[in-house]
Amino acid sequence: MNQAYGYTEYTIRKKVFSIMSTKLHIYNSSEELVLYSQMKAFKLKEDIALYTDESMQRELLRIKARSIIDFSVTFDVIDSETGEHVGALRRKGLKSILKDEWIILDRHDQELGLIKEDSTFMALLRRVISFIPQKYSIELQGDPIPTYSQNINPFVTKITADFSGDRTGQLDRRLGLAAGILLCAVEGKQD
């Protein structure tokens, strides 16, 4: 597996003011760029390619919506180097109106776990006061692992993905990174 997936902590950065495209930079804990994406604006069906760097010469991962964006959209995660279908992430439709929730699926669409926003109260407050940072936990086999936290900056959306709580390596880092990218790129569009 590519070394880009060998870290326990990542920072996903998205510049807010970008009209024609969204640029995502993914750094490891040493602040080295490990993945990069440039997504075109105004797409009805998300298709996010992740590359080793800004030259976009070597694609490592693809996150692709199965249908046009809707409340319960499912995103397939594909390893571009091997062609392997790693799994999928499905937004929990209407339930996500109050509190963001995603289902983590394996390659056969069997549920592996959930990604949940920190608290219903804070989620509702965030719908009114958008600059309150979001926090998410991954639940694998009923065990919550605090994983994603958002830093507030009016010009850059930044999510820290910390997988150190997954000590047994239950979650494939490719799925974990894809989830962090979707939380940064897709959830930000609903506000």
Side-chain angles (χ1 to χ4, degrees):
M1 192 173 305
N2 192 289
Q3 69 179 18
Y5 312 123
Y7 304 101
T8 56
E9 188 175 309
Y10 298 85
T11 300
I12 303 163
R13 294 175 42 116
K14 175 182 87 166
K15 289 186 181 177
V16 175
F17 298 112
S18 184
I19 296 171
M20 296 311 289
S21 67
T22 299
K23 295 177 182 178
L24 291 169
H25 293 84
I26 298 94
Y27 300 94
N28 64 17
S29 59
S30 300
E31 298 184 17
E32 300 167 324
L33 183 68
V34 292
L35 292 167
Y36 173 79
S37 180
Q38 186 171 336
M39 304 177 316
K40 292 180 182 164
F42 313 113
K43 291 187 86 171
L44 293 176
K45 188 174 173 183
E46 292 290 349
D47 187 0
I48 304 167
L50 295 165
Y51 301 91
T52 55
D53 58 33
E54 292 177 347
S55 72
M56 299 191 322
Q57 297 296 308
R58 186 171 163 214
E59 183 179 321
L60 293 182
L61 199 66
R62 188 162 288 267
I63 307 164
K64 197 170 191 175
R66 289 185 185 171
S67 62
I68 293 176
I69 299 296
D70 63 22
F71 282 122
S72 297
V73 68
T74 299
F75 292 88
D76 288 304
V77 180
I78 297 124
D79 186 309
S80 302
E81 294 189 307
T82 65
E84 174 190 4
H85 180 250
V86 177
L89 299 152
R90 179 178 300 139
R91 192 163 190 268
K92 280 187 113 177
L94 294 175
K95 196 167 188 175
S96 285
I97 290 175
L98 297 178
K99 180 178 168 182
D100 293 334
E101 285 191 30
W102 291 74
I103 301 169
I104 304 168
L105 304 167
D106 69 11
R107 67 186 73 187
H108 306 292
D109 281 350
Q110 299 299 310
E111 188 173 321
L112 292 172
L114 296 171
I115 299 170
K116 293 182 172 186
E117 197 169 2
D118 57 353
S119 77
T120 303
F121 174 74
M122 291 302 290
L124 290 172
L125 195 56
R126 258 185 228 101
R127 302 305 187 255
V128 179
I129 306 170
S130 62
F131 62 84
I132 296 173
Q134 289 176 292
K135 292 184 180 183
Y136 297 86
S137 291
I138 292 177
E139 280 187 19
L140 295 172
Q141 299 177 350
D143 296 326
I145 303 168
T147 307
Y148 306 102
S149 59
Q150 179 185 35
N151 296 352
I152 294 302
N153 177 324
F155 305 106
V156 177
T157 299
K158 186 164 86 171
I159 289 183
T160 301
D162 182 357
F163 301 110
S164 61
D166 180 21
R167 290 178 181 81
T168 59
Q170 294 179 62
L171 181 66
D172 187 313
R173 287 289 183 274
R174 297 169 294 182
L175 268 176
L177 279 167
I181 289 159
L182 290 173
L183 292 174
C184 191
V186 175
E187 287 297 353
K189 290 181 181 179
Q190 72 184 16
D191 297 333

Tab-separated table of all heavy atoms in Angstrom, residues 111-114 116 138-145 170:
chain	number	residue	atom	x	y	z
A	111	GLU	N	-22.227	-2.741	6.406
A	111	GLU	CA	-21.876	-1.671	7.328
A	111	GLU	C	-20.709	-2.057	8.234
A	111	GLU	O	-20.719	-3.101	8.873
A	111	GLU	CB	-23.094	-1.308	8.179
A	111	GLU	CG	-22.882	-0.076	9.019
A	111	GLU	CD	-24.135	0.395	9.727
A	111	GLU	OE1	-25.233	0.341	9.131
A	111	GLU	OE2	-24.000	0.823	10.886
A	112	LEU	N	-19.689	-1.188	8.248
A	112	LEU	CA	-18.530	-1.355	9.118
A	112	LEU	C	-18.632	-0.488	10.368
A	112	LEU	O	-18.135	-0.841	11.427
A	112	LEU	CB	-17.243	-0.954	8.390
A	112	LEU	CG	-16.769	-1.806	7.246
A	112	LEU	CD1	-15.596	-1.136	6.544
A	112	LEU	CD2	-16.374	-3.174	7.749
A	113	GLY	N	-19.242	0.685	10.195
A	113	GLY	CA	-19.319	1.628	11.305
A	113	GLY	C	-20.023	2.898	10.896
A	113	GLY	O	-20.612	2.985	9.819
A	114	LEU	N	-19.950	3.887	11.776
A	114	LEU	CA	-20.609	5.169	11.562
A	114	LEU	C	-19.642	6.314	11.825
A	114	LEU	O	-18.694	6.170	12.604
A	114	LEU	CB	-21.787	5.330	12.529
A	114	LEU	CG	-22.948	4.371	12.400
A	114	LEU	CD1	-23.903	4.550	13.580
A	114	LEU	CD2	-23.686	4.596	11.096
A	116	LYS	N	-20.199	10.161	13.208
A	116	LYS	CA	-21.242	10.993	13.798
A	116	LYS	C	-20.670	12.323	14.265
A	116	LYS	O	-19.589	12.371	14.837
A	116	LYS	CB	-21.850	10.300	15.019
A	116	LYS	CG	-22.627	9.055	14.713
A	116	LYS	CD	-23.211	8.499	16.005
A	116	LYS	CE	-24.145	7.361	15.728
A	116	LYS	NZ	-24.815	6.916	16.950
A	138	ILE	N	-15.744	8.346	14.891
A	138	ILE	CA	-16.034	7.125	14.147
A	138	ILE	C	-16.437	6.074	15.180
A	138	ILE	O	-15.795	5.956	16.222
A	138	ILE	CB	-14.798	6.635	13.367
A	138	ILE	CG1	-14.470	7.608	12.240
A	138	ILE	CG2	-15.019	5.237	12.815
A	138	ILE	CD1	-13.229	7.240	11.458
A	139	GLU	N	-17.514	5.364	14.906
A	139	GLU	CA	-17.915	4.244	15.759
A	139	GLU	C	-17.667	2.958	14.987
A	139	GLU	O	-18.261	2.732	13.942
A	139	GLU	CB	-19.388	4.334	16.136
A	139	GLU	CG	-19.669	5.294	17.250
A	139	GLU	CD	-21.110	5.250	17.711
A	139	GLU	OE1	-21.840	4.267	17.444
A	139	GLU	OE2	-21.528	6.239	18.341
A	140	LEU	N	-16.756	2.151	15.498
A	140	LEU	CA	-16.475	0.843	14.914
A	140	LEU	C	-16.827	-0.206	15.955
A	140	LEU	O	-16.301	-0.169	17.065
A	140	LEU	CB	-14.999	0.718	14.527
A	140	LEU	CG	-14.502	1.643	13.428
A	140	LEU	CD1	-12.999	1.544	13.284
A	140	LEU	CD2	-15.186	1.330	12.110
A	141	GLN	N	-17.743	-1.093	15.606
A	141	GLN	CA	-18.207	-2.137	16.525
A	141	GLN	C	-18.651	-1.539	17.857
A	141	GLN	O	-18.353	-2.059	18.921
A	141	GLN	CB	-17.131	-3.201	16.725
A	141	GLN	CG	-16.763	-3.888	15.431
A	141	GLN	CD	-15.646	-4.898	15.602
A	141	GLN	OE1	-14.996	-4.994	16.640
A	141	GLN	NE2	-15.435	-5.682	14.559
A	142	GLY	N	-19.341	-0.389	17.788
A	142	GLY	CA	-19.891	0.249	18.974
A	142	GLY	C	-18.922	1.108	19.767
A	142	GLY	O	-19.313	1.785	20.710
A	143	ASP	N	-17.631	1.087	19.417
A	143	ASP	CA	-16.632	1.876	20.143
A	143	ASP	C	-16.409	3.219	19.450
A	143	ASP	O	-15.981	3.247	18.289
A	143	ASP	CB	-15.292	1.132	20.214
A	143	ASP	CG	-15.386	-0.154	21.007
A	143	ASP	OD1	-16.162	-0.194	21.984
A	143	ASP	OD2	-14.691	-1.124	20.646
A	144	PRO	N	-16.683	4.354	20.127
A	144	PRO	CA	-16.429	5.657	19.500
A	144	PRO	C	-14.942	6.004	19.538
A	144	PRO	O	-14.270	5.799	20.541
A	144	PRO	CB	-17.240	6.628	20.356
A	144	PRO	CG	-17.406	5.956	21.669
A	144	PRO	CD	-17.328	4.472	21.426
A	145	ILE	N	-14.446	6.494	18.422
A	145	ILE	CA	-13.057	6.938	18.308
A	145	ILE	C	-13.087	8.391	17.834
A	145	ILE	O	-13.453	8.660	16.692
A	145	ILE	CB	-12.277	6.076	17.277
A	145	ILE	CG1	-12.335	4.596	17.646
A	145	ILE	CG2	-10.842	6.555	17.160
A	145	ILE	CD1	-11.851	3.680	16.535
A	170	GLN	N	-8.634	-1.241	12.413
A	170	GLN	CA	-9.884	-1.734	11.844
A	170	GLN	C	-10.315	-0.954	10.605
A	170	GLN	O	-10.901	-1.514	9.693
A	170	GLN	CB	-11.012	-1.650	12.881
A	170	GLN	CG	-10.849	-2.548	14.072
A	170	GLN	CD	-12.006	-2.346	15.035
A	170	GLN	OE1	-13.156	-2.601	14.684
A	170	GLN	NE2	-11.702	-1.866	16.224
